[in-house]
Amino acid sequence: MRHVPPPAEELALLDQELTRLDARRLQLLNRRAWLLSVLRAPVAPQPFPVPAAPRPFQGPVTRPSAPAHGTQNVLLVLGGLLLTVAAIAFTLFSWGEMGIAGRSAVLAAVTAGALVAPAPLLNRSLPSTAEAVAVLALVLTVLDAIALHAVAAPDADGLVFSAVASAVLAAVWTLYGLLLGRLRTPLPAAVVAGQLPLLFTAWAADASATGFGWALLVTAAADVAVALWGRGLGVRVTACVGALLTLLISLALALGLSVSADGVPGAVGPGALLLAGAAVALSGAWRAPKGFAVLGGVVAGLSGVAAVGGAASAALPWHWRVLVYLLCGAALSVVLRLRVPRPVMWGVLAASASVTAASVLWAAPLVAAVLLGPVSLTGEVWAGAPDGFRAALGYAVPWPESASSPVVLAVAAGLSGVLHVRWPRALPEKGWRVAAAAGAAVLGWGALLVLLAVADVPYAVAVGVELLLVGAVLALAVRRAAGAVAMACLACAMAGAVSVGLLGLAAEPATYAVSAVLVVLFAASAERSAVPAVRSVLSCASVLCAVALPCAAGASLGWSAPHTAPLVLAVPAVTVLLGARLRVPVVAVPVELTGAFAAVVAVCLAVTDAPFLALVLGLCGVLAAATALRPERRRVAGYPAAGLFVAAAWVRLAASGVADPEAYTLPVSLAAFAVGYLRRRRDPAASSWVAYGPALSVTMVPSLVAAWGDPHWLRPLLLGIAALVVTLVGSRLRLRAPLVLGGSVLALDGLHELAPHVVQVFDALPRWAPPALAGLLLLAVGATYEQRLRDARRVRESFGRMR
């Protein structure tokens, strides 16, 4: 007989089975989701998530849907916009179809209903709908004002009516917003409407620019009051934006009037407006948050400087007015002794720094003119010393109108120096104190340079003073560590050296004197400096200045540029000796590289004369070989030495018109082979380029050049056989230099022999054949791309194992 459990036991068994089925279903669903994620985005397989412990079945769980606030707001905005458009269309186009009573009744009824409707909507917890209706009501009040002017007062002045209407609307919207405090639109709208009454009033009164400025300033003051004590964030933000716009426009008008004033009486009115604007900005910044407080301090400081400076300098020329503004900006530092909020103090000090920076920027073009002006002397070298310093600059600068520039730079330098010496405790240093010292040094140096040009000192005095300035800033640079002051002084020294070096080109004695003094100054400064980086820069500068001396000597002797080139090589010869004596690599390497640059200059000077070019290349090879005697420079200088010797031989053969260079190159190659063989026996690890490269190049390359111009077949044949033998020997002995040089010469020689036939073949082929062959080649290479990469990799590895 089959056992039938009691109902209670059977119900418990069914519940357990359903629980197991739910757990299994959850496990399968999790596995399915994981498989879908793997198929959609292939990633590394993650461990299969362990299903949570099964819970008893509790029926379907329903979640309340989130309210669609975004959709609701969109619908309300669209509805309010459509109603507004309908009201405007009714007012503008359907107005004439009704009588005066009907028109007034319709607008009054609609406006009253729109104004009253938000209250019950707020009571029914429909704030968004109430806000949309309130916006419509505000628009209707504007339309009511337009209709009132068209019907009740058509003869009234439009500007006056607009001023009164905007004031009334601002008051009505303010009252409406206060009564319905939960609405967010009326009060900011009232602030916007409040920007217009005084502006329309000034416009109606046909006020001057000063009148408009005062109207905007009073409006800005009201906005500041609302921003400080208004209700709600929206009201304060709107008032803050309005205050910023109206205040800046008012101050811009006042600044334009102050700058363009002809005398002190004409600058008093704009100055008063600027001072009032500074007071408004300062009152707003006093209780504002940090960011707005700093901005208010900046505006207040700049307005005060413009007011006082404009009134005090109204009777002066413009270039002296800059100095007055600078002094007024420096006077703002008195805020450090006053009890003002710290953000306001920072803003006022930022205004002072801005005025100083603007004054320096005004004088900066004159400093550039003094530094770059001597470039004009390069067109007429040694044409004679000019009468004055200005004549050597060459630029048409209005120097009499720039008489205040050195004073402005000197005052700015003094302010920076005082700031460095007595840094205020209320301000954090953070490197600004060091920057002030660097600024003082640069500005003082620039002030003295501009003073020389403004005073139009004699040429000799200008050269001497500029050299003294270079020495002074170099002394400051070497006495300090590698900081901002040292770097600033070093930059000034470099710029001054270039300027005075160009200035010395006007006269022959000045060129020698300036070059020699600069060499001594830079060398002595490099010797005294304790910072390796500064020493390297100064040493390189001394070498570059020394290059001018042999060039000037050649010009004095009447030599051409190729004849002067061997004299220039005296400079790299000295750097080779210095590189061997200097113990600091950071200094030695830049000095030797600068000497190599001087050698390049010598080669460029001799490039137009082949015999002298061969001589210069040979001497450069000697210097490179002398450098290669040092163990640490052997690999760096050995290859250039061999290349320079070979190039010198080639150039010498070409200059001598030798048609058969092998008679001269073969003995040299045999001797070089012997030396290379001995070197390889002594040092088996030596590179084949060092041992056999020069010997092969001396003969094979000139022969290749001669073979390309030889119409006969014997020379190319013999050269090809020799290149083939060299290539096979290099491949057999695993030597890189014979393999590369022999293979290259063999390929070029074969190309020379096949070139006429290749040209004939290409002439016989159709025009489409070469592109088609190139396309097939590319397809073949692309199809076997990976195999070609493996072959190239094997060739590279094999080539790298050669000597």
Side-chain angles (χ1 to χ4, degrees), residues 639 642 680 686-697 735-741 799 803:
Y639 295 114
R680 288 276 296 176
S687 173
S688 62
W689 287 106
V690 177
Y692 304 123
L696 293 172
S697 301
L735 297 176
R736 187 181 302 176
L739 178 63
V740 173
L741 288 175
F799 187 74
R803 290 292 180 184

mmCIF file with all atom_site columns, all heavy atoms in Angstrom, residues 639 642 680 686-697 735-741 799 803:
data_model
loop_
_atom_site.group_PDB
_atom_site.id
_atom_site.type_symbol
_atom_site.label_atom_id
_atom_site.label_alt_id
_atom_site.label_comp_id
_atom_site.label_asym_id
_atom_site.label_entity_id
_atom_site.label_seq_id
_atom_site.pdbx_PDB_ins_code
_atom_site.Cartn_x
_atom_site.Cartn_y
_atom_site.Cartn_z
_atom_site.occupancy
_atom_site.B_iso_or_equiv
_atom_site.pdbx_formal_charge
_atom_site.auth_seq_id
_atom_site.auth_comp_id
_atom_site.auth_asym_id
_atom_site.auth_atom_id
_atom_site.pdbx_PDB_model_num
ATOM 1   N N   . TYR A 1 639 ? 84.938 57.486 -33.821 1.00 0.00 ? 639 TYR A N   1
ATOM 2   C CA  . TYR A 1 639 ? 84.263 57.409 -35.123 1.00 0.00 ? 639 TYR A CA  1
ATOM 3   C C   . TYR A 1 639 ? 84.289 58.739 -35.871 1.00 0.00 ? 639 TYR A C   1
ATOM 4   O O   . TYR A 1 639 ? 84.593 58.786 -37.073 1.00 0.00 ? 639 TYR A O   1
ATOM 5   C CB  . TYR A 1 639 ? 82.823 56.943 -34.921 1.00 0.00 ? 639 TYR A CB  1
ATOM 6   C CG  . TYR A 1 639 ? 82.716 55.546 -34.376 1.00 0.00 ? 639 TYR A CG  1
ATOM 7   C CD1 . TYR A 1 639 ? 82.201 55.314 -33.107 1.00 0.00 ? 639 TYR A CD1 1
ATOM 8   C CD2 . TYR A 1 639 ? 83.118 54.460 -35.136 1.00 0.00 ? 639 TYR A CD2 1
ATOM 9   C CE1 . TYR A 1 639 ? 82.096 54.025 -32.604 1.00 0.00 ? 639 TYR A CE1 1
ATOM 10  C CE2 . TYR A 1 639 ? 83.018 53.168 -34.650 1.00 0.00 ? 639 TYR A CE2 1
ATOM 11  C CZ  . TYR A 1 639 ? 82.510 52.951 -33.369 1.00 0.00 ? 639 TYR A CZ  1
ATOM 12  O OH  . TYR A 1 639 ? 82.408 51.680 -32.883 1.00 0.00 ? 639 TYR A OH  1
ATOM 13  N N   . ALA A 1 642 ? 87.813 59.247 -37.446 1.00 0.00 ? 642 ALA A N   1
ATOM 14  C CA  . ALA A 1 642 ? 88.040 58.474 -38.679 1.00 0.00 ? 642 ALA A CA  1
ATOM 15  C C   . ALA A 1 642 ? 87.247 59.053 -39.841 1.00 0.00 ? 642 ALA A C   1
ATOM 16  O O   . ALA A 1 642 ? 87.765 59.187 -40.971 1.00 0.00 ? 642 ALA A O   1
ATOM 17  C CB  . ALA A 1 642 ? 87.634 57.014 -38.436 1.00 0.00 ? 642 ALA A CB  1
ATOM 18  N N   . ARG A 1 680 ? 92.990 44.789 -33.873 1.00 0.00 ? 680 ARG A N   1
ATOM 19  C CA  . ARG A 1 680 ? 92.120 43.644 -33.613 1.00 0.00 ? 680 ARG A CA  1
ATOM 20  C C   . ARG A 1 680 ? 92.871 42.519 -32.889 1.00 0.00 ? 680 ARG A C   1
ATOM 21  O O   . ARG A 1 680 ? 92.280 41.801 -32.080 1.00 0.00 ? 680 ARG A O   1
ATOM 22  C CB  . ARG A 1 680 ? 91.562 43.123 -34.932 1.00 0.00 ? 680 ARG A CB  1
ATOM 23  C CG  . ARG A 1 680 ? 90.522 44.025 -35.559 1.00 0.00 ? 680 ARG A CG  1
ATOM 24  C CD  . ARG A 1 680 ? 89.151 43.771 -34.996 1.00 0.00 ? 680 ARG A CD  1
ATOM 25  N NE  . ARG A 1 680 ? 88.685 42.415 -35.300 1.00 0.00 ? 680 ARG A NE  1
ATOM 26  C CZ  . ARG A 1 680 ? 87.556 41.901 -34.866 1.00 0.00 ? 680 ARG A CZ  1
ATOM 27  N NH1 . ARG A 1 680 ? 86.776 42.618 -34.065 1.00 0.00 ? 680 ARG A NH1 1
ATOM 28  N NH2 . ARG A 1 680 ? 87.199 40.673 -35.187 1.00 0.00 ? 680 ARG A NH2 1
ATOM 29  N N   . ALA A 1 686 ? 87.314 44.784 -30.205 1.00 0.00 ? 686 ALA A N   1
ATOM 30  C CA  . ALA A 1 686 ? 87.172 46.067 -30.892 1.00 0.00 ? 686 ALA A CA  1
ATOM 31  C C   . ALA A 1 686 ? 86.247 45.940 -32.091 1.00 0.00 ? 686 ALA A C   1
ATOM 32  O O   . ALA A 1 686 ? 86.204 44.908 -32.767 1.00 0.00 ? 686 ALA A O   1
ATOM 33  C CB  . ALA A 1 686 ? 88.549 46.569 -31.336 1.00 0.00 ? 686 ALA A CB  1
ATOM 34  N N   . SER A 1 687 ? 85.519 47.001 -32.384 1.00 0.00 ? 687 SER A N   1
ATOM 35  C CA  . SER A 1 687 ? 84.562 46.993 -33.485 1.00 0.00 ? 687 SER A CA  1
ATOM 36  C C   . SER A 1 687 ? 85.286 47.009 -34.820 1.00 0.00 ? 687 SER A C   1
ATOM 37  O O   . SER A 1 687 ? 86.368 47.604 -34.972 1.00 0.00 ? 687 SER A O   1
ATOM 38  C CB  . SER A 1 687 ? 83.630 48.196 -33.369 1.00 0.00 ? 687 SER A CB  1
ATOM 39  O OG  . SER A 1 687 ? 82.796 48.296 -34.499 1.00 0.00 ? 687 SER A OG  1
ATOM 40  N N   . SER A 1 688 ? 84.684 46.337 -35.809 1.00 0.00 ? 688 SER A N   1
ATOM 41  C CA  . SER A 1 688 ? 85.272 46.337 -37.147 1.00 0.00 ? 688 SER A CA  1
ATOM 42  C C   . SER A 1 688 ? 85.214 47.712 -37.797 1.00 0.00 ? 688 SER A C   1
ATOM 43  O O   . SER A 1 688 ? 85.996 48.016 -38.701 1.00 0.00 ? 688 SER A O   1
ATOM 44  C CB  . SER A 1 688 ? 84.553 45.316 -38.024 1.00 0.00 ? 688 SER A CB  1
ATOM 45  O OG  . SER A 1 688 ? 83.176 45.663 -38.151 1.00 0.00 ? 688 SER A OG  1
ATOM 46  N N   . TRP A 1 689 ? 84.290 48.543 -37.338 1.00 0.00 ? 689 TRP A N   1
ATOM 47  C CA  . TRP A 1 689 ? 84.224 49.903 -37.888 1.00 0.00 ? 689 TRP A CA  1
ATOM 48  C C   . TRP A 1 689 ? 85.471 50.691 -37.516 1.00 0.00 ? 689 TRP A C   1
ATOM 49  O O   . TRP A 1 689 ? 85.970 51.487 -38.325 1.00 0.00 ? 689 TRP A O   1
ATOM 50  C CB  . TRP A 1 689 ? 82.978 50.614 -37.362 1.00 0.00 ? 689 TRP A CB  1
ATOM 51  C CG  . TRP A 1 689 ? 81.702 50.138 -37.964 1.00 0.00 ? 689 TRP A CG  1
ATOM 52  C CD1 . TRP A 1 689 ? 80.760 49.354 -37.386 1.00 0.00 ? 689 TRP A CD1 1
ATOM 53  C CD2 . TRP A 1 689 ? 81.238 50.418 -39.287 1.00 0.00 ? 689 TRP A CD2 1
ATOM 54  N NE1 . TRP A 1 689 ? 79.731 49.110 -38.245 1.00 0.00 ? 689 TRP A NE1 1
ATOM 55  C CE2 . TRP A 1 689 ? 79.993 49.766 -39.435 1.00 0.00 ? 689 TRP A CE2 1
ATOM 56  C CE3 . TRP A 1 689 ? 81.738 51.137 -40.360 1.00 0.00 ? 689 TRP A CE3 1
ATOM 57  C CZ2 . TRP A 1 689 ? 79.261 49.815 -40.603 1.00 0.00 ? 689 TRP A CZ2 1
ATOM 58  C CZ3 . TRP A 1 689 ? 81.012 51.192 -41.532 1.00 0.00 ? 689 TRP A CZ3 1
ATOM 59  C CH2 . TRP A 1 689 ? 79.782 50.535 -41.658 1.00 0.00 ? 689 TRP A CH2 1
ATOM 60  N N   . VAL A 1 690 ? 85.962 50.499 -36.299 1.00 0.00 ? 690 VAL A N   1
ATOM 61  C CA  . VAL A 1 690 ? 87.173 51.203 -35.872 1.00 0.00 ? 690 VAL A CA  1
ATOM 62  C C   . VAL A 1 690 ? 88.409 50.615 -36.545 1.00 0.00 ? 690 VAL A C   1
ATOM 63  O O   . VAL A 1 690 ? 89.327 51.336 -36.945 1.00 0.00 ? 690 VAL A O   1
ATOM 64  C CB  . VAL A 1 690 ? 87.297 51.143 -34.335 1.00 0.00 ? 690 VAL A CB  1
ATOM 65  C CG1 . VAL A 1 690 ? 88.587 51.809 -33.872 1.00 0.00 ? 690 VAL A CG1 1
ATOM 66  C CG2 . VAL A 1 690 ? 86.099 51.798 -33.682 1.00 0.00 ? 690 VAL A CG2 1
ATOM 67  N N   . ALA A 1 691 ? 88.436 49.297 -36.714 1.00 0.00 ? 691 ALA A N   1
ATOM 68  C CA  . ALA A 1 691 ? 89.637 48.657 -37.242 1.00 0.00 ? 691 ALA A CA  1
ATOM 69  C C   . ALA A 1 691 ? 89.733 48.771 -38.753 1.00 0.00 ? 691 ALA A C   1
ATOM 70  O O   . ALA A 1 691 ? 90.802 49.109 -39.299 1.00 0.00 ? 691 ALA A O   1
ATOM 71  C CB  . ALA A 1 691 ? 89.654 47.179 -36.814 1.00 0.00 ? 691 ALA A CB  1
ATOM 72  N N   . TYR A 1 692 ? 88.641 48.475 -39.466 1.00 0.00 ? 692 TYR A N   1
ATOM 73  C CA  . TYR A 1 692 ? 88.713 48.380 -40.922 1.00 0.00 ? 692 TYR A CA  1
ATOM 74  C C   . TYR A 1 692 ? 87.847 49.410 -41.648 1.00 0.00 ? 692 TYR A C   1
ATOM 75  O O   . TYR A 1 692 ? 87.956 49.514 -42.879 1.00 0.00 ? 692 TYR A O   1
ATOM 76  C CB  . TYR A 1 692 ? 88.273 46.978 -41.373 1.00 0.00 ? 692 TYR A CB  1
ATOM 77  C CG  . TYR A 1 692 ? 89.074 45.884 -40.734 1.00 0.00 ? 692 TYR A CG  1
ATOM 78  C CD1 . TYR A 1 692 ? 88.438 44.882 -39.998 1.00 0.00 ? 692 TYR A CD1 1
ATOM 79  C CD2 . TYR A 1 692 ? 90.465 45.833 -40.853 1.00 0.00 ? 692 TYR A CD2 1
ATOM 80  C CE1 . TYR A 1 692 ? 89.169 43.857 -39.410 1.00 0.00 ? 692 TYR A CE1 1
ATOM 81  C CE2 . TYR A 1 692 ? 91.195 44.820 -40.267 1.00 0.00 ? 692 TYR A CE2 1
ATOM 82  C CZ  . TYR A 1 692 ? 90.544 43.834 -39.540 1.00 0.00 ? 692 TYR A CZ  1
ATOM 83  O OH  . TYR A 1 692 ? 91.262 42.841 -38.957 1.00 0.00 ? 692 TYR A OH  1
ATOM 84  N N   . GLY A 1 693 ? 86.981 50.109 -40.928 1.00 0.00 ? 693 GLY A N   1
ATOM 85  C CA  . GLY A 1 693 ? 86.119 51.092 -41.585 1.00 0.00 ? 693 GLY A CA  1
ATOM 86  C C   . GLY A 1 693 ? 86.873 52.185 -42.306 1.00 0.00 ? 693 GLY A C   1
ATOM 87  O O   . GLY A 1 693 ? 86.608 52.458 -43.497 1.00 0.00 ? 693 GLY A O   1
ATOM 88  N N   . PRO A 1 694 ? 87.841 52.868 -41.673 1.00 0.00 ? 694 PRO A N   1
ATOM 89  C CA  . PRO A 1 694 ? 88.583 53.914 -42.402 1.00 0.00 ? 694 PRO A CA  1
ATOM 90  C C   . PRO A 1 694 ? 89.335 53.387 -43.608 1.00 0.00 ? 694 PRO A C   1
ATOM 91  O O   . PRO A 1 694 ? 89.374 54.030 -44.669 1.00 0.00 ? 694 PRO A O   1
ATOM 92  C CB  . PRO A 1 694 ? 89.535 54.464 -41.339 1.00 0.00 ? 694 PRO A CB  1
ATOM 93  C CG  . PRO A 1 694 ? 88.890 54.124 -40.037 1.00 0.00 ? 694 PRO A CG  1
ATOM 94  C CD  . PRO A 1 694 ? 88.195 52.831 -40.247 1.00 0.00 ? 694 PRO A CD  1
ATOM 95  N N   . ALA A 1 695 ? 89.950 52.195 -43.472 1.00 0.00 ? 695 ALA A N   1
ATOM 96  C CA  . ALA A 1 695 ? 90.740 51.649 -44.591 1.00 0.00 ? 695 ALA A CA  1
ATOM 97  C C   . ALA A 1 695 ? 89.843 51.371 -45.789 1.00 0.00 ? 695 ALA A C   1
ATOM 98  O O   . ALA A 1 695 ? 90.206 51.690 -46.942 1.00 0.00 ? 695 ALA A O   1
ATOM 99  C CB  . ALA A 1 695 ? 91.444 50.376 -44.145 1.00 0.00 ? 695 ALA A CB  1
ATOM 100 N N   . LEU A 1 696 ? 88.678 50.778 -45.566 1.00 0.00 ? 696 LEU A N   1
ATOM 101 C CA  . LEU A 1 696 ? 87.778 50.485 -46.666 1.00 0.00 ? 696 LEU A CA  1
ATOM 102 C C   . LEU A 1 696 ? 87.194 51.759 -47.266 1.00 0.00 ? 696 LEU A C   1
ATOM 103 O O   . LEU A 1 696 ? 87.047 51.874 -48.493 1.00 0.00 ? 696 LEU A O   1
ATOM 104 C CB  . LEU A 1 696 ? 86.651 49.571 -46.178 1.00 0.00 ? 696 LEU A CB  1
ATOM 105 C CG  . LEU A 1 696 ? 87.075 48.151 -45.771 1.00 0.00 ? 696 LEU A CG  1
ATOM 106 C CD1 . LEU A 1 696 ? 85.906 47.427 -45.121 1.00 0.00 ? 696 LEU A CD1 1
ATOM 107 C CD2 . LEU A 1 696 ? 87.566 47.384 -46.984 1.00 0.00 ? 696 LEU A CD2 1
ATOM 108 N N   . SER A 1 697 ? 86.845 52.741 -46.428 1.00 0.00 ? 697 SER A N   1
ATOM 109 C CA  . SER A 1 697 ? 86.206 53.960 -46.924 1.00 0.00 ? 697 SER A CA  1
ATOM 110 C C   . SER A 1 697 ? 87.163 54.804 -47.746 1.00 0.00 ? 697 SER A C   1
ATOM 111 O O   . SER A 1 697 ? 86.756 55.443 -48.727 1.00 0.00 ? 697 SER A O   1
ATOM 112 C CB  . SER A 1 697 ? 85.674 54.786 -45.744 1.00 0.00 ? 697 SER A CB  1
ATOM 113 O OG  . SER A 1 697 ? 84.740 54.034 -44.989 1.00 0.00 ? 697 SER A OG  1
ATOM 114 N N   . LEU A 1 735 ? 82.099 40.163 -39.789 1.00 0.00 ? 735 LEU A N   1
ATOM 115 C CA  . LEU A 1 735 ? 82.538 41.529 -39.517 1.00 0.00 ? 735 LEU A CA  1
ATOM 116 C C   . LEU A 1 735 ? 81.532 42.494 -40.141 1.00 0.00 ? 735 LEU A C   1
ATOM 117 O O   . LEU A 1 735 ? 81.208 42.385 -41.329 1.00 0.00 ? 735 LEU A O   1
ATOM 118 C CB  . LEU A 1 735 ? 83.940 41.766 -40.086 1.00 0.00 ? 735 LEU A CB  1
ATOM 119 C CG  . LEU A 1 735 ? 85.054 40.923 -39.483 1.00 0.00 ? 735 LEU A CG  1
ATOM 120 C CD1 . LEU A 1 735 ? 86.367 41.187 -40.209 1.00 0.00 ? 735 LEU A CD1 1
ATOM 121 C CD2 . LEU A 1 735 ? 85.193 41.176 -37.987 1.00 0.00 ? 735 LEU A CD2 1
ATOM 122 N N   . ARG A 1 736 ? 81.072 43.419 -39.366 1.00 0.00 ? 736 ARG A N   1
ATOM 123 C CA  . ARG A 1 736 ? 79.985 44.291 -39.804 1.00 0.00 ? 736 ARG A CA  1
ATOM 124 C C   . ARG A 1 736 ? 80.453 45.312 -40.820 1.00 0.00 ? 736 ARG A C   1
ATOM 125 O O   . ARG A 1 736 ? 79.785 45.559 -41.831 1.00 0.00 ? 736 ARG A O   1
ATOM 126 C CB  . ARG A 1 736 ? 79.371 45.007 -38.592 1.00 0.00 ? 736 ARG A CB  1
ATOM 127 C CG  . ARG A 1 736 ? 78.140 45.813 -38.907 1.00 0.00 ? 736 ARG A CG  1
ATOM 128 C CD  . ARG A 1 736 ? 77.607 46.521 -37.659 1.00 0.00 ? 736 ARG A CD  1
ATOM 129 N NE  . ARG A 1 736 ? 77.293 45.561 -36.604 1.00 0.00 ? 736 ARG A NE  1
ATOM 130 C CZ  . ARG A 1 736 ? 76.885 45.913 -35.390 1.00 0.00 ? 736 ARG A CZ  1
ATOM 131 N NH1 . ARG A 1 736 ? 76.784 47.215 -35.081 1.00 0.00 ? 736 ARG A NH1 1
ATOM 132 N NH2 . ARG A 1 736 ? 76.597 45.007 -34.494 1.00 0.00 ? 736 ARG A NH2 1
ATOM 133 N N   . ALA A 1 737 ? 81.590 45.977 -40.597 1.00 0.00 ? 737 ALA A N   1
ATOM 134 C CA  . ALA A 1 737 ? 82.045 47.051 -41.486 1.00 0.00 ? 737 ALA A CA  1
ATOM 135 C C   . ALA A 1 737 ? 82.297 46.551 -42.912 1.00 0.00 ? 737 ALA A C   1
ATOM 136 O O   . ALA A 1 737 ? 81.796 47.147 -43.879 1.00 0.00 ? 737 ALA A O   1
ATOM 137 C CB  . ALA A 1 737 ? 83.285 47.728 -40.909 1.00 0.00 ? 737 ALA A CB  1
ATOM 138 N N   . PRO A 1 738 ? 83.057 45.473 -43.122 1.00 0.00 ? 738 PRO A N   1
ATOM 139 C CA  . PRO A 1 738 ? 83.220 44.999 -44.510 1.00 0.00 ? 738 PRO A CA  1
ATOM 140 C C   . PRO A 1 738 ? 81.911 44.575 -45.157 1.00 0.00 ? 738 PRO A C   1
ATOM 141 O O   . PRO A 1 738 ? 81.695 44.820 -46.350 1.00 0.00 ? 738 PRO A O   1
ATOM 142 C CB  . PRO A 1 738 ? 84.176 43.804 -44.365 1.00 0.00 ? 738 PRO A CB  1
ATOM 143 C CG  . PRO A 1 738 ? 84.900 44.043 -43.100 1.00 0.00 ? 738 PRO A CG  1
ATOM 144 C CD  . PRO A 1 738 ? 83.914 44.710 -42.192 1.00 0.00 ? 738 PRO A CD  1
ATOM 145 N N   . LEU A 1 739 ? 81.024 43.959 -44.385 1.00 0.00 ? 739 LEU A N   1
ATOM 146 C CA  . LEU A 1 739 ? 79.757 43.522 -44.949 1.00 0.00 ? 739 LEU A CA  1
ATOM 147 C C   . LEU A 1 739 ? 78.916 44.711 -45.403 1.00 0.00 ? 739 LEU A C   1
ATOM 148 O O   . LEU A 1 739 ? 78.390 44.734 -46.524 1.00 0.00 ? 739 LEU A O   1
ATOM 149 C CB  . LEU A 1 739 ? 78.996 42.690 -43.912 1.00 0.00 ? 739 LEU A CB  1
ATOM 150 C CG  . LEU A 1 739 ? 77.614 42.188 -44.344 1.00 0.00 ? 739 LEU A CG  1
ATOM 151 C CD1 . LEU A 1 739 ? 77.722 41.249 -45.523 1.00 0.00 ? 739 LEU A CD1 1
ATOM 152 C CD2 . LEU A 1 739 ? 76.919 41.500 -43.168 1.00 0.00 ? 739 LEU A CD2 1
ATOM 153 N N   . VAL A 1 740 ? 78.805 45.713 -44.568 1.00 0.00 ? 740 VAL A N   1
ATOM 154 C CA  . VAL A 1 740 ? 77.952 46.864 -44.897 1.00 0.00 ? 740 VAL A CA  1
ATOM 155 C C   . VAL A 1 740 ? 78.574 47.695 -46.013 1.00 0.00 ? 740 VAL A C   1
ATOM 156 O O   . VAL A 1 740 ? 77.909 48.037 -47.005 1.00 0.00 ? 740 VAL A O   1
ATOM 157 C CB  . VAL A 1 740 ? 77.698 47.713 -43.643 1.00 0.00 ? 740 VAL A CB  1
ATOM 158 C CG1 . VAL A 1 740 ? 76.963 49.000 -44.001 1.00 0.00 ? 740 VAL A CG1 1
ATOM 159 C CG2 . VAL A 1 740 ? 76.898 46.917 -42.623 1.00 0.00 ? 740 VAL A CG2 1
ATOM 160 N N   . LEU A 1 741 ? 79.846 48.055 -45.874 1.00 0.00 ? 741 LEU A N   1
ATOM 161 C CA  . LEU A 1 741 ? 80.479 48.900 -46.883 1.00 0.00 ? 741 LEU A CA  1
ATOM 162 C C   . LEU A 1 741 ? 80.595 48.173 -48.225 1.00 0.00 ? 741 LEU A C   1
ATOM 163 O O   . LEU A 1 741 ? 80.280 48.734 -49.285 1.00 0.00 ? 741 LEU A O   1
ATOM 164 C CB  . LEU A 1 741 ? 81.863 49.332 -46.404 1.00 0.00 ? 741 LEU A CB  1
ATOM 165 C CG  . LEU A 1 741 ? 81.871 50.360 -45.271 1.00 0.00 ? 741 LEU A CG  1
ATOM 166 C CD1 . LEU A 1 741 ? 83.303 50.608 -44.798 1.00 0.00 ? 741 LEU A CD1 1
ATOM 167 C CD2 . LEU A 1 741 ? 81.241 51.661 -45.733 1.00 0.00 ? 741 LEU A CD2 1
ATOM 168 N N   . PHE A 1 799 ? 72.980 40.401 -37.584 1.00 0.00 ? 799 PHE A N   1
ATOM 169 C CA  . PHE A 1 799 ? 73.814 41.582 -37.806 1.00 0.00 ? 799 PHE A CA  1
ATOM 170 C C   . PHE A 1 799 ? 74.328 42.141 -36.482 1.00 0.00 ? 799 PHE A C   1
ATOM 171 O O   . PHE A 1 799 ? 75.447 42.660 -36.397 1.00 0.00 ? 799 PHE A O   1
ATOM 172 C CB  . PHE A 1 799 ? 72.998 42.622 -38.553 1.00 0.00 ? 799 PHE A CB  1
ATOM 173 C CG  . PHE A 1 799 ? 73.800 43.818 -38.992 1.00 0.00 ? 799 PHE A CG  1
ATOM 174 C CD1 . PHE A 1 799 ? 74.683 43.731 -40.049 1.00 0.00 ? 799 PHE A CD1 1
ATOM 175 C CD2 . PHE A 1 799 ? 73.677 45.033 -38.344 1.00 0.00 ? 799 PHE A CD2 1
ATOM 176 C CE1 . PHE A 1 799 ? 75.418 44.825 -40.462 1.00 0.00 ? 799 PHE A CE1 1
ATOM 177 C CE2 . PHE A 1 799 ? 74.400 46.134 -38.735 1.00 0.00 ? 799 PHE A CE2 1
ATOM 178 C CZ  . PHE A 1 799 ? 75.275 46.026 -39.801 1.00 0.00 ? 799 PHE A CZ  1
ATOM 179 N N   . ARG A 1 803 ? 80.909 41.997 -35.379 1.00 0.00 ? 803 ARG A N   1
ATOM 180 C CA  . ARG A 1 803 ? 81.795 43.012 -34.812 1.00 0.00 ? 803 ARG A CA  1
ATOM 181 C C   . ARG A 1 803 ? 81.984 44.156 -35.792 1.00 0.00 ? 803 ARG A C   1
ATOM 182 O O   . ARG A 1 803 ? 81.926 43.966 -36.989 1.00 0.00 ? 803 ARG A O   1
ATOM 183 C CB  . ARG A 1 803 ? 83.161 42.408 -34.469 1.00 0.00 ? 803 ARG A CB  1
ATOM 184 C CG  . ARG A 1 803 ? 83.114 41.459 -33.308 1.00 0.00 ? 803 ARG A CG  1
ATOM 185 C CD  . ARG A 1 803 ? 82.798 42.201 -32.030 1.00 0.00 ? 803 ARG A CD  1
ATOM 186 N NE  . ARG A 1 803 ? 82.746 41.314 -30.892 1.00 0.00 ? 803 ARG A NE  1
ATOM 187 C CZ  . ARG A 1 803 ? 82.402 41.707 -29.665 1.00 0.00 ? 803 ARG A CZ  1
ATOM 188 N NH1 . ARG A 1 803 ? 82.070 42.968 -29.450 1.00 0.00 ? 803 ARG A NH1 1
ATOM 189 N NH2 . ARG A 1 803 ? 82.367 40.861 -28.682 1.00 0.00 ? 803 ARG A NH2 1
#
